[in-house]
Structure formats: C-alpha cells, structure tokens
Amino acid sequence: MSGTPLTETRIAPSILAADFSALGSQVDEVIAAGARVIHVDVMDGNFVPPITMGPLAVNAIGERVHAAGAAVDVHLMINRPEAQIDEFAKAGADNITFHAEATVHANRLVQAIREHGCRAGVAINPGTPVGAVAQLAGDIDLVLCMTVNPGWGGQAFIPSSPAKIAAIREMLPAGTPLEVDGGVDEQTAPSCAQAGATLFVAGSAIFGAPDPGAAYQAIAKAAGAA
Ligand code: DX5
Ligand code: ZN
C-alpha cells in the first residue's frame, strides 16, 4: 500500500478519460500538477454495460504512481468482486473499492482486501439508499458515493448528490475518507466538499481539458484540496 494517506482532501484523476496511447505521460502530467491518488475504473460489461480495463492497466501505471509516493485507487464496477482481489492487489492497487450492490458478502470482502495489504472501500450507486453502507461505516477505509450512474465518463452530476453525501458523512467516524465520483468539476466540487466529501474523482474535467495539469489545479482549488 502506498504511503500517501487519504486523510487530506485530494483530487483523484480518473484515467478512464486519458489518452491511452500516451497513458504514462498523462499520468506523469497530473502527478507533476500535484495529484497523489490516481483512479482506475474497472468495468466488466456485466455490472455495468462497458468493458474497460483490468489488472494490466494497474500494473502499467503502478510503478510511476508509487515512485511519486502516490496511490492507485481501483474502483471495481464488476460483479463478484471477491474473485478479483488477488489479481488487483498483485498488480499494485493501494485502494480497492467494490460496489455494495455487487456482492452479498461485503464484510468478508473488506477483510480479504485488507489481508492483501490494501485499503478497502465500498461504493454505492445513485439509486442505492445510504443505509447500504451503514453496517460497514464503522470499519471501512473509504466510502464512495456515485454522483452519476456508473458506466461512462462525461455524464452530468446528479444535483441531489450533496444531500446524500452529507447523510453518508453523518454515518462515518471522523476522518473516514468520503469519495465522490462522476460529473465532478470546478462547478460541482464545492457543494460536495461542503457536504463532507474529501476525495474527488475527476475524469473528463481533467483529461478532457487542453491542459490536464492546469485543470487538476483548478478543481483542487475549488474543492479546497492539496
Ligand atoms: C463512472 C466512473 C468514473 C468516471 C468519471 O462510471 O466511475 O470514475 O471516470 O468520469 P467523469 O469525471 O468524466 O464524470
Ligand atoms: Zn470511478
């Protein structure tokens, strides 16, 4: 697990929106701008319609991310996540977040992720009530609140999200990172920060911008992040 703590407010660029023909240099660019958490969106064509990337992509960026003291933040949008933990941990994941909707053994999965030396996160879809994470809230390394329906980058932020973020924040022990993912940009980040989010995934708002490093810094400023 990378030494980068998740206690500080951070922006996590999502490589889903990066230019894959230049993945290494795109990652270097956001790290040079200050990024210390790099988000990897894993989709299986089953839990969500698209198929994106797997452990190979984690392995491809792992060395440069860790060399910068940064963390690889893996977001599993897959069914039966328990079957894949070993592969992602071996590939260099630092945080592994699964969806509460995708497993019936969430507590066991948290233990398995930690046994692999990674931080364990639980994510919920926009249509899933906050109660789905209540039982885990006291013993989880991060909670991810989807602010779009998972599956694609570039979707519009769901306006009711800040109220949901605030409700999750109330359930969590102080200091537990609360991640938001989907439609996060300079305009939407402040309301998430105010509601208690501390980790902000941004894909198209960073890698879709002409200068990803500058876009990173603008969102970091808007979110009050390092
Ligand atoms: C969506 C993914 C997101 C995606 C966000 O299903 O989980 O991480 O990369 O992309 P933007 O920031 O473009 O909404
Ligand atoms: Zn994601």
Side-chain angles (χ1 to χ4, degrees):
M1 187 197 299
S2 157
T4 303
L6 289 182
T7 43
E8 282 178 69
T9 297
R10 287 275 176 199
I11 307 301
S14 164
I15 62 168
L16 186 64
D19 173 357
F20 268 60
S21 70
L23 187 56
S25 60
Q26 292 256 281
V27 169
D28 289 348
E29 216 172 320
V30 290
I31 286 175
R36 291 296 177 268
V37 182
I38 303 295
H39 188 81
V40 179
D41 285 307
V42 178
M43 306 189 195
D44 64 353
N46 190 338
F47 180 71
V48 288
I51 296 174
T52 57
M53 51 196 135
L56 203 62
V58 171
N59 187 257
I61 65 165
E63 207 171 309
R64 68 214 310 136
V65 172
H66 294 144
V72 180
D73 184 43
V74 172
H75 177 193
L76 297 179
M77 286 160 277
I78 65 174
N79 280 324
R80 296 193 61 245
E82 46 279 349
Q84 301 297 332
I85 303 309
D86 195 48
E87 289 296 318
F88 280 97
K90 278 187 193 147
D94 299 291
N95 313 332
I96 300 182
T97 297
F98 63 89
H99 269 261
E101 304 88 353
T103 182
V104 289
H105 294 297
N107 188 274
R108 186 190 296 166
L109 188 47
V110 169
Q111 289 171 21
I113 293 169
R114 287 179 172 158
E115 277 163 17
H116 279 83
C118 302
R119 295 185 193 91
V122 61
I124 52 170
N125 287 332
T128 301
V130 297
V133 297
Q135 201 59 40
L136 292 174
D139 188 26
I140 192 81
D141 301 313
L142 73 91
V143 174
L144 187 160
C145 178
M146 287 304 305
T147 45
V148 299
N149 286 293
W152 297 271
Q155 302 180 77
F157 181 83
I158 296 173
S160 58
S161 301
K164 188 174 184 183
I165 295 161
I168 298 172
R169 175 49 75 200
E170 280 206 1
M171 292 166 39
L172 296 175
T176 304
L178 177 48
E179 187 167 20
V180 287
D181 188 359
V184 174
D185 58 21
E186 247 182 290
Q187 278 68 47
T188 56
S191 61
C192 297
Q194 213 170 9
T198 55
L199 189 54
F200 298 76
V201 178
S204 50
I206 291 177
F207 291 112
D211 181 343
Y216 169 87
Q217 286 168 351
I219 299 169
K221 195 170 169 210

